[in-house]
Amino acid sequence: MNTLRVSLLGSLVAVAFSLASPVAAAADVECLPEVSDGWIRVPPAGIPVLAGFGTITNACDTAVTLVSGSSPGFEDVSIHETRFDDGMARMRAIPRLVIPAGDSVTLKPGGLHMMLMKPRATPVAGEQVRIDLQLDDGRKISGDFRIRK
């Protein structure tokens, strides 16, 4: 009788693992947003602030929130928004940028954009710079941004 119980228990455990393994494998794959079409505008000479643009696509099932940025090419990276109030363009920092599930956010001139402060080297058109964006859950996404006029 004990042998039958052990055998039956072993079979049930084997079935449980075989059913759970596809689920466990799927849970191990982390979905991350992607950065595409990244570019940085070359500023007029002597200006220590550049602007970065591109698209962040979140094909994941849950929203993600960007909370900061960094780059080996710049002392500081942050997300800003340009708004027009009474005919005047005003910029403000966006401390948290939510990208809804299955959606994208476009960073573009005159709207949401990255402020790239104090380049560590003189930006040259055609070069590429990596920018890392920190999510509120601790993960990072990276994108390559081409410098252009």
Side-chain angles (χ1 to χ4, degrees):
M1 189 82 161
N2 281 342
T3 307
L4 180 59
R5 253 188 237 161
V6 171
S7 178
L8 182 57
L9 182 59
S11 296
L12 289 174
V13 169
V15 168
F17 277 119
S18 69
L19 291 175
S21 62
V23 173
D28 290 343
V29 177
E30 289 187 22
C31 183
L32 281 171
E34 294 183 1
V35 178
S36 60
D37 303 321
W39 64 281
I40 297 169
R41 180 181 291 159
V42 174
I47 306 262
V49 179
L50 288 81
F53 311 102
T55 300
I56 304 166
T57 302
N58 180 14
C60 305
D61 293 332
T62 58
V64 296
T65 303
L66 300 178
V67 293
S68 66
S70 62
S71 173
F74 299 93
E75 192 171 301
D76 185 63
V77 175
S78 58
I79 304 288
H80 281 69
E81 177 181 41
T82 301
R83 286 195 171 186
F84 291 90
D85 295 324
D86 297 326
M88 295 291 295
R90 301 183 194 281
M91 264 193 299
R92 68 180 182 107
I94 304 291
R96 299 174 62 82
L97 177 61
V98 176
I99 303 167
D103 205 353
S104 63
V105 171
T106 300
L107 306 176
K108 60 186 177 185
L112 288 170
H113 58 280
M114 278 185 276
M115 292 301 300
L116 310 168
M117 310 293 195
K118 298 181 182 175
R120 291 192 165 92
T122 302
V124 176
E127 290 182 342
Q128 196 166 281
V129 176
R130 188 188 82 242
I131 296 176
D132 300 318
L133 299 171
Q134 180 80 38
L135 303 178
D136 67 346
D137 63 8
R139 297 179 299 159
K140 287 185 181 178
I141 58 175
S142 297
D144 293 322
F145 289 73
R146 176 96 36 214
I147 297 174
R148 67 183 201 198
K149 292 184 179 184

